Amino acid sequence: MGVHLWMLLVAINGVTATYHPRPVTHCRVVDRDANCTHRNLKTIPRELPPGIYKLDLSYNLLENLTQELMSSYTSVHHLNLHSNKIQFIQPGLFKNMTNLQVLDLSRNDLYIIALSKTSVGPLSSVRKLDLIGNGLYTGMTDYFLEDAPALLNLSLEGNSITKITNNTFFRSKSLRNIDLHNNVILEIEGGAFNSMPHLSELDLSMNSITCITDFNLLQLKTLNLSQNSMESFQTRDWDREYELLYLDLRENKMHYFPFLPRRNKLIHLDLSRNLLTGVNTMLTTEQTEFMINDESRFTDYTENVYNNLTKLRYLDLSYNQIKRIPSSFFNNMASLEMLNLSNNCMEAFYIDQDSPLNSLKILDLSFNALQNLSFGENTLQSLEELYLQANSLSVKDSYIFRRLPSIRDLHLQENLLKICDLPPRRQNLEESDCIILSNISTLHYLYLTRNSLQSLPQYAFSGSGLKVLDLSYNAGIKIDKNALVGLETSLTYLSLRGNQLHMLNYDLSCLSCLQNLDVSANNLTALPVWNKESSIESLNLQNNSLITLEYNTVQMLGKTLKKLYLGSNPLSCCNSLRFLQMVQKSTVDIPDIATAMCQYTQDSKHIEINIARLSQKHCATMDQKNVYIIIIIITMSLILVAVLVLLSRICHTRAYRLRGSYKA
Ligand SMILES: *[C@@H]1O[C@H](CO)[C@@H](O)[C@H](O)[C@H]1NC(C)=O
Ligand SMILES: *[C@@H]1O[C@H](CO)[C@@H](O)[C@H](O)[C@H]1NC(C)=O
Ligand SMILES: *[C@@H]1O[C@H](CO)[C@@H](O)[C@H](O)[C@H]1NC(C)=O
Ligand SMILES: *[C@@H]1O[C@H](CO)[C@@H](O)[C@H](O)[C@H]1NC(C)=O
Ligand SMILES: *[C@@H]1O[C@H](CO)[C@@H](O)[C@H](O)[C@H]1NC(C)=O
Ligand SMILES: *[C@@H]1O[C@H](CO)[C@@H](O)[C@H](O)[C@H]1NC(C)=O
Ligand SMILES: *[C@@H]1O[C@H](CO)[C@@H](O)[C@H](O)[C@H]1NC(C)=O
Ligand SMILES: *[C@@H]1O[C@H](CO)[C@@H](O)[C@H](O)[C@H]1NC(C)=O
Ligand SMILES: *[C@@H]1O[C@H](CO)[C@@H](O)[C@H](O)[C@H]1NC(C)=O
Ligand SMILES: *[C@@H]1O[C@H](CO)[C@@H](O)[C@H](O)[C@H]1NC(C)=O
Ligand SMILES: *[C@@H]1O[C@H](CO)[C@@H](O)[C@H](O)[C@H]1NC(C)=O
Ligand SMILES: *[C@@H]1O[C@H](CO)[C@@H](O)[C@H](O)[C@H]1NC(C)=O
């Protein structure tokens, strides 16, 4: 629509003013925005209307930008030259573009300009400059930054810069955000970022930095050092307050916890995928000397070495080699909401009353070697999600999960847990080796996959309001017929996959909200009878020993069923014919239909056929044969009867005659 409008304007202009009424073929103009992307342009189009605000020339073939080309576009605020082949920019080209605020020169060949040692400036009003992917190396940025006094945001991502010197940003005093992601920075000169009093975001991720020895950027809010080779991070040892909120040290080679500012506002600290074996901070040589000289203060000091992280909300320590975390490490972390310790080597984890972590919502301790776990009274009062999968837990304290008043998600897969038999037969549950999962009213999601559970006692989950229950791969589990009592109106998902079940001896039709039932990979020979309305939408019967399926049961389910998995069962075609024909006609989705086969007999051979291709005739042949056999049998019988009757007549007459003759 905009195009038509503009063409009209051109026509009018062509008449009234001495403007060349060329049709706009290159660019799409809407309001004051011109979109000229992907047009194979080798020069900047001249026919655009005056007063353009945004000019997008990305993905073209521009090589040389000269003044003559740009002179009519002084009104442009946003100029996008992304993905061209620019290798020459006439010095002073942008001088008269006094409105230019955003300049995107990403993915060009600007290193050629730098090689020719010509400056691009001035960029007097540019606030955001993108120089991503231009093959620039150390020192080359000078030609772009020399005269850019208004610059706030600069991206140098994806270049080949190896060193940041004191001169690199010396003239760009107003910079707030610098992105140096994906360069090969090995060295940063002391004071290289100190010329910028407002610098608040610095992205140094994906470089080759090995250490920060004297971090002193008080005003910085975000520092991203992920994907470097960082071995240590040391803050200047002073008492100034730092503004730092986000520190990302993910994927480095840190052996020790960073030495963070004493007075900090840090809320997010990512130390995942490093080489930490504990949470001790490495001390500088000065601090170490101090301690060696003053043996008596050693213990005091090491206790305080844990950083003061009162504002911290997010701490990721996953994928390290941490063996032990003293409970006191969390002493000052009253604001912590998320703690990720997954994939470490911890054998025990304790939270005590001195550091209760009562703001913590998510605790991930998965993939460790945990044997012992204990939470003190009145700790973890806000915890909603607890991840404990893949440990070796066999808890000593039966009531441990009941002490978590907000717990909603409990991930207990791949452990060695047992569920207590209730009502309690043993007196001392506090010291037994089983866990109690009933009467935890906040618990909605419970995962107990692969725990070698041998039994599921009655009322195991009563009073919990569980929505999702995963009991898969507990081969041989004995499920009490009252095990699921209490979940009638809450449970929507139940998995009993891979449990070697031969039959389901409890009434699943009581679970009136159950939508998704997975009983695959068992040895079921029959389905439980559903005689009530059900809510089942997805039913997985894959990989069982089902030969026939009760037509009435399936019909009862059919009202709500949307998805049915049937594959890998020894189904009999003709015994389940009614059911299979119903399946063929219905709209129920069978995702594994390719493996859903059934068997029938023809000429005393067992033949397997995909249930989708089954038809009446495969079973009819057998029926007809039966009919023939019956007819033959009946005919034979009739003949036999006739023969017998005939024989008896003959005998009778003969006897009569004999008798007669006798009489006679
Ligand atoms: C410019 O046009 C291209 C198609 O030619 C479209 O993909 C792109 O989104 C447009 N850009 C803007 C900012 O409208
Ligand atoms: C750009 O300038 C270079 C060097 O001055 C020249 O070799 C090249 O042909 C020019 N390219 C175009 C498209 O004008
Ligand atoms: C910039 O503007 C000045 C004064 O308006 C003019 O003399 C000069 O030619 C312009 N330069 C360009 C490159 O358009
Ligand atoms: C520029 O930097 C500021 C401060 O770091 C940031 O909040 C903002 O999103 C950036 N603007 C753009 C357009 O990237
Ligand atoms: C850079 O500046 C810092 C402080 O401003 C100074 O200590 C350092 O020696 C300088 N480095 C070089 C190479 O000039
Ligand atoms: C740090 O940079 C990496 C890589 O670019 C990115 O994935 C991550 O989200 C960044 N971290 C923060 C805290 O912004
Ligand atoms: C911890 O940091 C906070 C905020 O920066 C400060 O108020 C408090 O005094 C510090 N506590 C200790 C023990 O250093
Ligand atoms: C913890 O970290 C691991 C690995 O980095 C990640 O896969 C997992 O999703 C995280 N846990 C949570 C609860 O976010
Ligand atoms: C676990 O607790 C038991 C006794 O409660 C103790 O003997 C054992 O050393 C603890 N294991 C670890 C790794 O702390
Ligand atoms: C669970 O709560 C019910 C009702 O409050 C109570 O009768 C039952 O004894 C409790 N079970 C356990 C094991 O505490
Ligand atoms: C069927 O289940 C058994 C036992 O759980 C398992 O070993 C087998 O791989 C499964 N087969 C298929 C085809 O899923
Ligand atoms: C259960 O079924 C699996 C395959 O589905 C089979 O390998 C296994 O022998 C069966 N077990 C019993 C006890 O029937």
Side-chain angles (χ1 to χ4, degrees):
M1 209 175 79
V3 176
H4 295 295
L5 203 76
W6 168 236
M7 278 163 73
L8 195 69
L9 274 174
V10 169
I12 294 165
N13 271 359
V15 178
T16 54
T18 51
Y19 196 89
H20 302 292
R22 263 207 281 163
V24 179
T25 50
H26 289 316
C27 308
R28 200 184 141 88
V29 183
V30 178
D31 297 330
R32 292 169 68 199
D33 296 350
N35 183 348
C36 317
T37 60
H38 293 287
R39 311 274 157 151
N40 294 328
L41 296 177
K42 289 194 166 142
T43 61
I44 294 171
R46 290 160 181 281
E47 68 275 9
L48 294 174
I52 288 288
Y53 185 86
K54 264 190 189 172
L55 176 55
D56 187 349
L57 287 160
S58 59
Y59 302 99
N60 281 297
L61 304 168
L62 301 175
E63 266 181 34
N64 300 336
L65 298 183
T66 58
Q67 233 143 34
E68 158 204 13
L69 286 170
M70 289 308 298
S71 56
S72 49
Y73 298 122
T74 53
S75 58
V76 172
H77 278 68
H78 280 60
L79 178 59
N80 190 348
L81 292 162
H82 187 288
S83 298
N84 278 277
K85 299 184 181 317
I86 298 168
Q87 44 159 288
F88 174 76
I89 297 176
Q90 188 170 342
L93 175 73
F94 301 106
K95 190 177 177 191
N96 281 11
M97 297 179 76
T98 49
N99 296 306
L100 189 62
Q101 297 199 344
V102 177
L103 176 58
D104 188 348
L105 285 165
S106 308
R107 312 225 177 272
N108 282 287
D109 296 320
L110 298 185
Y111 70 97
I112 298 174
I113 297 179
L115 283 177
S116 68
K117 299 197 190 314
T118 44
S119 287
V120 164
L123 297 168
S124 47
S125 54
V126 175
R127 295 164 149 261
K128 181 169 166 31
L129 176 62
D130 284 319
L131 296 170
I132 300 168
N134 269 294
L136 300 173
Y137 47 88
T138 312
M140 285 188 162
T141 52
D142 297 356
Y143 304 104
F144 303 90
L145 302 180
E146 213 167 59
D147 194 358
L151 205 56
L152 300 177
N153 299 42
L154 170 66
S155 179
L156 285 164
E157 192 189 311
N159 282 291
S160 308
I161 298 165
T162 53
K163 182 176 177 182
I164 309 290
T165 69
N166 278 4
N167 292 326
T168 310
F169 302 110
F170 184 65
R171 288 187 190 79
S172 321
K173 299 202 187 316
S174 52
L175 272 174
R176 283 176 163 70
N177 183 331
I178 303 177
D179 186 354
L180 284 159
H181 172 77
N182 189 16
N183 277 275
V184 274
I185 299 169
L186 287 157
E187 194 186 342
I188 298 173
E189 267 179 18
F193 296 103
N194 288 15
S195 57
M196 298 163 280
H198 304 293
L199 187 63
S200 97
E201 276 185 41
L202 180 55
D203 189 346
L204 289 165
S205 59
M206 229 172 146
N207 278 287
S208 308
I209 303 166
T210 53
C211 66
I212 300 280
T213 50
D214 184 32
F215 176 62
N216 63 357
L217 299 173
L218 299 173
Q219 77 285 17
L220 205 62
K221 292 207 165 92
T222 302
L223 175 57
N224 197 338
L225 282 162
S226 65
Q227 294 174 282
N228 277 278
S229 309
M230 292 280 295
E231 286 172 16
S232 93
F233 180 95
Q234 297 289 334
T235 303
R236 180 175 290 184
D237 199 5
W238 59 3
D239 273 323
R240 302 282 296 277
E241 180 156 29
Y242 283 68
E243 297 299 317
L244 196 63
L245 300 174
Y246 296 86
L247 176 57
D248 194 343
L249 285 164
R250 186 189 160 87
E251 283 183 66
N252 277 289
K253 301 197 166 87
M254 302 277 292
H255 285 276
Y256 293 94
F257 207 82
F259 183 68
L260 298 168
R262 282 198 197 115
R263 293 175 63 209
N264 67 68
K265 300 176 176 174
L266 210 59
I267 58 176
H268 179 112
L269 177 57
D270 193 341
L271 277 161
S272 60
R273 296 181 194 269
N274 275 281
L275 304 169
L276 301 177
T277 52
V279 287
N280 290 328
T281 305
M282 191 179 68
L283 304 163
T284 60
T285 26
E286 274 168 47
Q287 290 158 344
T288 318
E289 274 164 25
F290 162 78
M291 282 188 299
I292 291 166
N293 295 339
D294 191 349
E295 195 69 29
S296 62
R297 297 179 66 178
F298 183 83
T299 42
D300 276 348
Y301 201 87
T302 43
E303 258 166 38
N304 284 330
V305 161
Y306 302 137
N307 297 270
N308 175 10
L309 294 166
T310 45
K311 302 260 168 49
L312 197 65
R313 281 188 254 157
Y314 177 102
L315 176 57
D316 193 344
L317 291 165
S318 61
Y319 284 100
N320 277 284
Q321 293 154 20
I322 298 172
K323 293 207 171 62
R324 202 179 74 89
I325 294 196
S327 197
S328 58
F329 173 68
F330 302 110
N331 273 356
N332 289 319
M333 294 195 198
S335 310
L336 199 62
E337 289 174 8
M338 153 81 188
L339 173 59
N340 196 339
L341 280 162
S342 77
N343 291 279
N344 277 284
C345 332
M346 292 189 299
E347 292 178 353
F349 186 79
Y350 307 104
I351 293 292
D352 67 22
Q353 279 151 306
D354 295 333
S355 46
L357 289 180
N358 275 338
S359 299
L360 199 64
K361 292 201 172 86
I362 303 174
L363 174 58
D364 193 339
L365 295 166
S366 58
F367 298 92
N368 274 281
L370 288 180
Q371 292 165 15
N372 297 358
L373 178 69
S374 101
F375 305 142
E377 291 285 343
N378 300 320
T379 63
L380 300 173
Q381 300 286 293
S382 308
L383 195 67
E384 290 171 4
E385 298 173 33
L386 177 56
Y387 297 83
L388 288 168
Q389 68 265 35
N391 279 290
S392 312
L393 279 178
S394 52
V395 172
K396 310 284 183 298
D397 170 6
S398 298
Y399 288 98
I400 186 163
F401 302 120
R402 230 195 241 178
R403 281 202 213 95
L404 304 171
S406 312
I407 192 72
R408 192 188 62 219
D409 281 44
L410 201 44
H411 297 254
L412 300 173
Q413 309 87 303
E414 296 174 65
N415 278 292
L416 303 164
L417 297 169
K418 282 186 214 149
I419 298 173
C420 303
D421 209 348
L422 288 171
R425 297 206 181 115
R426 263 160 286 166
Q427 289 301 305
N428 209 350
L429 277 176
E430 300 273 356
E431 278 174 30
S432 70
D433 58 351
C434 62
I435 52 166
I436 290 178
L437 292 167
S438 61
N439 285 8
I440 306 178
S441 63
T442 50
L443 190 62
H444 288 345
Y445 306 90
L446 177 60
Y447 303 87
L448 282 162
T449 306
R450 295 186 205 274
N451 264 282
S452 318
L453 288 177
Q454 283 166 5
S455 66
L456 199 61
Q458 57 181 341
Y459 313 120
F461 313 108
S462 65
S464 71
L466 277 186
K467 289 181 180 150
V468 169
L469 177 58
D470 189 346
L471 291 164
S472 55
Y473 297 107
N474 286 291
I477 188 173
K478 303 266 178 309
I479 303 180
D480 187 279
K481 66 182 191 317
N482 290 323
L484 303 179
V485 167
L487 306 181
E488 291 80 2
T489 56
S490 65
L491 201 65
T492 61
Y493 174 93
L494 175 63
S495 175
L496 295 167
R497 185 182 172 90
N499 278 335
Q500 288 180 7
L501 298 174
H502 290 264
M503 56 191 277
L504 293 168
N505 63 344
Y506 36 89
D507 189 358
L508 287 172
S509 57
C510 293
L511 300 170
S512 60
C513 299
L514 195 63
Q515 289 173 354
N516 196 323
L517 175 63
D518 186 350
V519 291
S520 58
N522 278 293
N523 298 69
L524 297 179
T525 49
L527 272 184
V529 180
W530 257 279
N531 43 26
K532 278 193 218 137
E533 289 284 311
S534 91
S535 314
I536 301 274
E537 288 177 9
S538 171
L539 178 59
N540 193 340
L541 301 170
Q542 207 179 59
N543 196 0
N544 271 290
S545 311
L546 297 169
I547 295 170
T548 58
L549 291 171
E550 185 61 39
Y551 178 70
N552 291 336
T553 301
V554 179
Q555 204 185 25
M556 186 64 82
L557 295 175
K559 288 171 195 155
T560 51
L561 202 62
K562 295 193 178 115
K563 224 176 229 181
L564 177 64
Y565 294 82
L566 264 182
S568 308
N569 274 295
L571 287 176
S572 149
C573 299
C574 301
N575 287 347
S576 316
L577 190 62
R578 238 173 118 200
F579 158 71
L580 292 173
Q581 282 179 334
M582 187 191 80
V583 163
Q584 283 173 351
K585 279 186 223 125
S586 79
T587 55
V588 174
D589 179 23
I590 306 184
D592 64 346
I593 189 118
T595 58
M597 312 295 278
C598 69
Q599 293 163 5
Y600 66 95
T601 316
Q602 195 174 47
D603 304 332
S604 65
K605 271 186 288 182
H606 292 293
I607 299 174
E608 233 184 23
I609 184 173
N610 192 285
I611 62 165
R613 290 196 284 120
L614 179 68
S615 73
Q616 191 84 40
K617 71 167 196 272
H618 297 106
C619 297
T621 52
M622 202 175 85
D623 286 353
Q624 269 164 16
K625 233 188 268 163
N626 285 351
V627 172
Y628 288 145
I629 290 167
I630 290 166
I631 290 171
I632 289 167
I633 290 172
I634 292 172
T635 323
M636 299 266 286
S637 315
L638 283 174
I639 291 168
L640 201 68
V641 169
V643 169
L644 284 175
V645 168
L646 207 68
L647 279 175
S648 74
R649 279 268 171 91
I650 291 167
C651 293
H652 200 249
T653 1
R654 274 181 68 183
Y656 187 76
R657 267 201 212 132
L658 279 172
R659 247 185 278 157
S661 64
Y662 193 77
K663 260 189 186 170

